[in-house]
Amino acid sequence: QVQLVESGGGLVQAGGSLRLSCAASGRTVSSYTVGWFRQAPGKEREFVAAFSWSGTTNYANSVKGRFTISRDNAKNTVYLLMNSLKPEDTAVYYCAADSRFWPTNYNYWGQGTQVTVSS
């Protein structure tokens, strides 16, 4: 099975950028579809973006045009570049992996990283 560790969160002003990393170990990340999710206080977890094992991407409408998901096979890592951040992007961000193409539920999860966007 694969283990996932997120990093790169922090405090940033509105309009700024952050790049989150999801480092995989135990298995090759290119064998999985990797998704990013977020959960704000008092809200349900929501889908942000995903990078399939075949190389296709998918984004939530709320982040389309601002966030970019990418994969570095050599580093066994999936990234989420977040530009033009808004206060409503504040949440704990999680990466998840699954061997299915576009899973509805992901089997493997990281511990999360906090992103706070100040206005």
Side-chain angles (χ1 to χ4, degrees):
Q1 64 183 39
V2 65
Q3 292 81 43
L4 305 171
V5 177
E6 303 96 332
S7 62
L11 173 64
V12 64
Q13 288 189 330
S17 299
L18 281 176
R19 189 181 76 162
L20 305 184
S21 299
C22 175
S25 61
R27 297 290 296 272
T28 303
V29 72
S30 58
S31 300
Y32 294 88
T33 289
V34 176
W36 283 97
F37 295 78
R38 65 187 182 187
Q39 188 166 20
K43 295 187 177 181
E44 293 188 353
R45 185 171 61 198
E46 64 175 358
F47 169 78
V48 176
F51 197 106
S52 77
W53 47 257
S54 69
T56 55
T57 58
N58 189 23
Y59 296 92
N61 288 333
S62 59
V63 306
K64 205 170 290 186
R66 300 188 298 124
F67 291 10
T68 303
I69 190 170
S70 62
R71 185 179 72 197
D72 186 331
N73 291 338
K75 295 184 177 181
N76 217 31
T77 299
V78 172
Y79 300 99
L80 184 69
L81 176 62
M82 306 185 294
N83 294 323
S84 303
L85 283 162
K86 305 175 181 179
E88 51 264 43
D89 294 318
T90 294
V92 178
Y93 283 71
Y94 301 89
C95 68
D98 196 281
S99 59
R100 293 166 291 179
F101 185 56
W102 287 132
T104 53
N105 295 295
Y106 285 71
N107 273 326
Y108 306 105
W109 291 83
Q111 83 289 349
T113 185
Q114 175 71 47
V115 171
T116 303
V117 184
S118 63
S119 57

